[in-house]
Amino acid sequence: MKTLQIKTAQNININFTVANVGQRLLAFLFDNILKFAYIYFVYYVFDFQAVEETFSGDTWTVQAVGILVLIPVTFYTLYSEILMDGQTLGKKLLHVKVINVDGFKPSVSDYTMRWFLRIVDFNLFILLAVYIQSITIDDSDFLLGLTFVVGKLVGLLLILFTPNNQRFGDIIANTVVIYLKDEVKFSETILEELADKYVPTYPNVIKLSDNDARIIKNTFKTAIKFNDYKTLIKLRTKIIEVTQIKSIHKSDREFISVVLKDYNFYTQNM
C-alpha cells in the first residue's frame, strides 16, 4: 500500500496509509447500493407513480416532487462526509476516511469542492455528450458510447495513477483518502490522564478530529522538549482558527495542554 508522509512544522514525519482503489471502489459501491435502495423504497413503497398520476396534468409539480425525492441521494456524499468526519457509511465500513493533505480535518469548502468535482471524475460524459449533441457528427452514437465509458473512468484512472491515489476532486480540494488500519493505536496516541473531577474549559474542542488531536499532541510534545516557542505560537493560532475558541489562557503551553485535556474529556464522555 502507498503511504502519505506529512511533515509538521518542527519536522516530525507522520505516516498515513493511503486507501487503495479497491477499498475506495467497494466503499463507492456500498454507498450506491444504499442510494438505489432509498430510490426503490421511495418510488415503490411510497408509490411515486400514484403521485405522477395525481398530478398528471401538472408537469412542474411532478418534476418538483421528483427533485425533492432525489435531494438526499444527490447530496448524500457531501453531508455524510461533513457530519461523519470525512466518512460515508461505505467509507466507514471499509475503514477509510478523507483528510486534508496537511493531516488536519478538511473544511466544509474542501468537502464541497471534492463533492462538486465528481461531475468530472465520474460524470464527465454528461458534459461531453451535450457538446457532441450540439454539433453534427456522422458517428455520434459511437462517440456517445465511447464518451460514456471514458467519462465514467476518469476518477478511477486518476486514483490508479496519481501518487496519492487522488481523483480530480481530491487534487483540487487538497484532500486524500486514508486507510485507518491503526485505528486502535491511533486512539491511544491522543489519550490524556484526567482527574476524576476534571472540569473542561473549551467546549469548542469538539470541532477537532482525532487526527487533529494527534498532530497537536505530537507537535506540542516536541515543541516543549526543544523549547520551540515559535511552534507553540503557530500551533495555538491554528487551534484557535479551527475551533474558534476564545482563549482565557495567556500561556501558549497552558492553553494547548488544556485543549488536549478538554478534547479527551468530551470525546471520552460522548
Side-chain angles (χ1 to χ4, degrees):
M1 285 188 173
K2 296 179 183 178
T3 57
L4 171 68
Q5 188 174 82
I6 295 172
K7 183 173 288 187
T8 63
Q10 65 291 335
N11 295 321
I12 295 176
N13 292 323
I14 300 176
N15 294 314
F16 296 95
T17 301
V18 178
N20 62 42
V21 68
Q23 292 165 329
R24 295 187 64 171
L25 185 59
L26 286 173
F28 178 79
L29 290 175
F30 182 81
D31 286 330
N32 276 278
I33 289 172
L34 291 179
K35 292 178 184 179
F36 283 120
Y38 164 80
I39 292 173
Y40 177 85
F41 183 80
V42 171
Y43 274 77
Y44 293 97
V45 175
F46 279 97
D47 195 7
F48 186 75
Q49 289 183 344
V51 176
E52 293 178 328
E53 292 173 2
T54 302
F55 298 98
S56 59
D58 190 347
T59 305
W60 287 105
T61 300
V62 173
Q63 290 180 345
V65 173
I67 291 172
L68 287 174
V69 167
L70 292 175
I71 282 177
V73 171
T74 303
F75 294 95
Y76 164 78
T77 301
L78 177 60
Y79 62 70
S80 293
E81 290 182 349
I82 292 174
L83 297 175
M84 297 173 62
D85 192 23
Q87 292 183 301
T88 60
L89 292 174
K91 288 185 177 70
K92 196 171 188 66
L93 181 67
L94 271 296
H95 305 290
V96 300
K97 70 179 292 184
V98 180
I99 65 168
N100 191 279
V101 293
D102 64 5
F104 282 90
K105 179 180 179 179
S107 65
V108 173
S109 60
D110 292 334
Y111 288 128
T112 303
M113 181 62 70
R114 74 187 302 274
W115 168 81
F116 179 75
L117 290 175
R118 290 166 69 90
I119 194 170
V120 175
D121 289 306
F122 305 113
N123 296 306
L124 183 61
F125 76 92
I126 294 176
L127 301 177
L128 295 175
V130 171
Y131 173 73
I132 291 172
Q133 291 284 20
S134 67
I135 59 177
T136 304
I137 300 179
D138 294 336
D139 295 327
S140 60
D141 290 340
F142 171 76
L143 286 176
L144 285 172
L146 181 62
T147 298
F148 178 85
V149 174
V150 174
K152 281 293 186 183
L153 289 177
V154 171
L156 179 63
L157 293 173
L158 285 172
I159 292 172
L160 281 171
F161 295 110
T162 51
N164 292 322
N165 294 1
Q166 293 171 293
R167 59 180 178 82
F168 185 70
D170 287 316
I171 294 170
I172 300 302
N174 215 31
T175 57
V176 64
V177 180
I178 61 168
Y179 174 45
L180 302 174
K181 66 171 185 176
D182 298 323
E183 195 167 4
V184 176
K185 183 179 178 181
F186 179 90
S187 298
E188 290 173 352
T189 63
I190 65 174
L191 294 179
E192 292 281 331
E193 291 292 333
L194 300 178
D196 292 336
K197 297 183 180 180
Y198 180 79
V199 179
T201 307
Y202 303 117
N204 272 23
V205 295
I206 60 173
K207 291 186 177 181
L208 297 170
S209 66
D210 284 353
N211 186 52
D212 294 339
R214 183 177 76 151
I215 290 176
I216 290 168
K217 183 173 181 179
N218 289 341
T219 303
F220 179 60
K221 288 173 65 177
T222 303
I224 293 298
K225 182 178 180 181
F226 295 102
N227 294 319
D228 187 351
Y229 301 111
K230 289 184 178 180
T231 295
L232 289 177
I233 293 172
K234 290 180 181 178
L235 187 57
R236 177 179 184 152
T237 302
K238 183 66 176 179
I239 293 170
I240 293 174
E241 177 188 335
V242 172
T243 62
Q244 302 299 309
I245 284 173
K246 293 183 179 179
S247 174
I248 62 174
H249 293 89
K250 293 184 178 180
S251 165
D252 297 324
R253 178 172 181 170
E254 186 178 4
F255 170 74
I256 298 168
S257 177
V258 170
V259 164
L260 288 170
K261 289 179 180 178
D262 284 0
Y263 182 81
N264 274 263
F265 175 85
Y266 284 112
T267 54
Q268 289 178 34
N269 290 279
M270 288 177 66

